[in-house]
Amino acid sequence: MDTVVTLAILRQAITYVREGNMRRARALGFNDDELRELRRLSATDIDALATSNPVVCRLSVDHDLLAGVFRRLSSDMDREKTIDRCLELGASVLMMSSFFGLTGNDCSTRRALLGLESRQGRVAMPPESEEHDAFRRWQDISAATTAPDAVDDIQGMIVLCEETSIPLGVVWQLVKNWTKAVNSSSRSKLQLADGRKACAR
């Protein structure tokens, strides 16, 4: 194993030097004098160097960098799973664009790969009674409920969609409506209070 690793490192270093990419050659751990010596060696000499004892090259792992790459890959996988789940639950193109930057073509392609039928037109909003039930459940699910950032709680909206069978795109629209209604009501109360103070003065 040591011989295989050593030979691979030596050959890669020589390749970088011949390409004029000294930065990458040095990044393998060699200094300029060593790189000049390596460049002079024949293929037979390289093989002999690789099989020498003690071993002249060893493989090392950058644990911090590797952990960062693992985290990024895990994040990317989670994102892909979330995108697929959103499409399966009936997310609209507008919603997918807002959360993930996907275009209509992106959504169509992904739906086809998932075996989902293409949706035509807008999905109807639920009856008032169903909306009231959904809102009460949303108050239990979301920590923000009607705060401005409630519309960003995609995991909460997925849970609400799964429990109520209301399409995810409609759930998103409902959450936006609820947030807007509560915020408008709060502003109206504030304006009314300011008006009463003005009258009192």
Side-chain angles (χ1 to χ4, degrees), residues 139-178:
Q139 290 176 307
D140 295 331
I141 293 173
S142 175
T145 306
T146 53
D149 58 351
V151 294
D152 298 324
D153 184 7
I154 191 167
Q155 294 301 329
M157 288 186 280
I158 287 175
V159 171
L160 183 61
C161 170
E162 291 174 335
E163 293 188 1
T164 62
S165 297
I166 298 174
L168 187 57
V170 175
V171 168
W172 183 51
Q173 186 60 52
L174 288 174
V175 172
K176 289 194 292 183
N177 291 345
W178 297 334

Side-chain angles (χ1 to χ4, degrees), residues 107-143:
C107 293
S108 295
T109 300
R110 281 181 172 268
R111 285 195 182 103
L113 292 174
L114 292 170
L116 303 174
E117 292 184 4
S118 296
R119 293 171 39 239
Q120 300 295 330
R122 292 189 176 185
V123 178
M125 300 296 280
E128 188 174 341
S129 59
E130 289 186 23
E131 180 178 342
H132 288 167
D133 291 341
F135 179 65
R136 283 192 290 270
R137 184 67 188 107
W138 177 245
Q139 290 176 307
D140 295 331
I141 293 173
S142 175

Side-chain angles (χ1 to χ4, degrees), residues 181-199 201:
V182 171
N183 290 336
S184 296
S185 176
S186 298
R187 284 194 296 269
S188 296
K189 290 179 180 178
L190 180 61
Q191 291 171 355
L192 181 59
D194 289 343
R196 285 175 178 170
K197 290 179 182 177
C199 290
R201 288 197 294 268

